Amino acid sequence: MPKRVDHDVRRRQIGEALLRIANTRGLQAASMREVAAEAGVSLRLVQYYFHSKDELLLGALAYLGEQLSARVRDRIRAIGTPPTPRSVIYGTLTAILPTDEESRRLTRTYAAYYTLVLAEPELAARHGTTYPDALERFLAGHLRTAQEDGQVDPGLDPETVVAGLLALTNGLGSSVLGGQRDGDAALAILTYHLDRVFDRGPRR
């Protein structure tokens, strides 16, 4: 059992080295050799745990998803407990925005993956939509529950609303990274649109 845990730790060490490269230099130039140097291990060890760069990219992407999920959980808890459909939707979307150094790192790293997918469409065809699709379904489910509770206009289509909110969130994130606005301004814009969704429901 300890040996297996050591393997898990080593895999994560290598995967997180790739994420650091993605954050600072992008993924196009992130060779297995560069990842080995960043992780402080041999190239042979990287190849032992990840047999191809594709496998390394996808393994590291899973670690990135874990980091974002932890941030989302923290944000939802900060809004209030027990969680409600509203706090889950607000917490998830506001956690994605690059409003501090940690979220800027996450956004830059996801942007590096997006840039790579544009250059290598076959990667997107195999794996690129799994997480975004799951996130849309997750949020749409909570929005549907909010409709049932009378917090949201029952005439709205949850899938369409959520897709629009995610597109808005991603666009605002890009505008922050590009220097068009700061994180507080982006958060204010997102909150405005979220409030409009929830303010349409009947008052109780």
Side-chain angles (χ1 to χ4, degrees):
M1 181 62 70
K3 186 174 183 180
R4 182 177 183 276
V5 171
D6 288 343
H7 283 312
D8 291 341
V9 170
R10 186 55 60 88
R11 282 180 61 89
R12 183 175 295 272
Q13 175 189 357
I14 295 168
E16 291 183 348
L18 175 67
L19 296 181
R20 290 194 297 274
I21 293 173
N23 175 43
T24 57
R25 305 197 297 277
L27 286 171
Q28 275 85 351
S31 66
M32 301 279 272
R33 189 175 301 278
E34 286 183 271
V35 173
E38 178 68 28
V41 299
S42 68
L43 174 60
R44 180 171 297 182
L45 194 63
V46 173
Q47 293 168 332
Y48 173 79
Y49 285 106
F50 300 96
H51 300 119
S52 66
K53 185 177 178 181
D54 192 6
E55 186 178 329
L56 174 57
L57 288 167
L58 296 172
L61 183 59
Y63 296 137
L64 184 62
E66 291 176 8
Q67 294 171 9
L68 179 59
S69 295
R71 179 178 174 82
V72 168
R73 288 194 299 270
D74 290 344
R75 181 61 60 88
I76 293 171
R77 281 196 296 266
I79 292 175
T81 53
T84 64
R86 180 172 181 146
S87 70
V88 170
I89 293 171
Y90 271 71
T92 300
L93 294 177
T94 57
I96 295 172
L97 276 183
T99 55
D100 56 26
E101 184 51 42
E102 174 65 8
S103 54
R104 284 192 292 272
R105 178 187 67 79
L106 290 169
T107 302
R108 283 192 300 265
T109 308
Y110 270 112
Y113 270 93
Y114 178 67
T115 301
L116 183 67
V117 164
L118 290 178
E120 300 182 21
E122 68 279 3
L123 188 63
R126 291 197 303 274
H127 310 285
T129 62
T130 301
Y131 180 77
D133 286 350
L135 181 58
E136 285 195 15
R137 289 193 298 270
F138 171 75
L139 293 177
H142 281 282
L143 188 59
R144 193 171 291 107
T145 300
Q147 287 178 314
E148 295 167 359
D149 292 342
Q151 301 174 22
V152 174
D153 183 349
L156 294 177
D157 178 64
E159 285 74 17
T160 301
V161 172
V162 164
L165 288 171
L166 282 167
L168 172 65
T169 304
N170 291 330
L172 288 170
S174 296
S175 74
V176 172
L177 294 185
Q180 181 183 3
R181 57 178 56 88
D182 62 20
D184 289 339
L187 182 59
I189 294 169
L190 176 60
T191 302
Y192 169 81
H193 286 278
L194 284 168
D195 287 346
R196 285 176 62 83
V197 170
F198 279 87
D199 285 346
R200 289 172 180 169
R203 304 283 178 151
R204 288 188 175 180

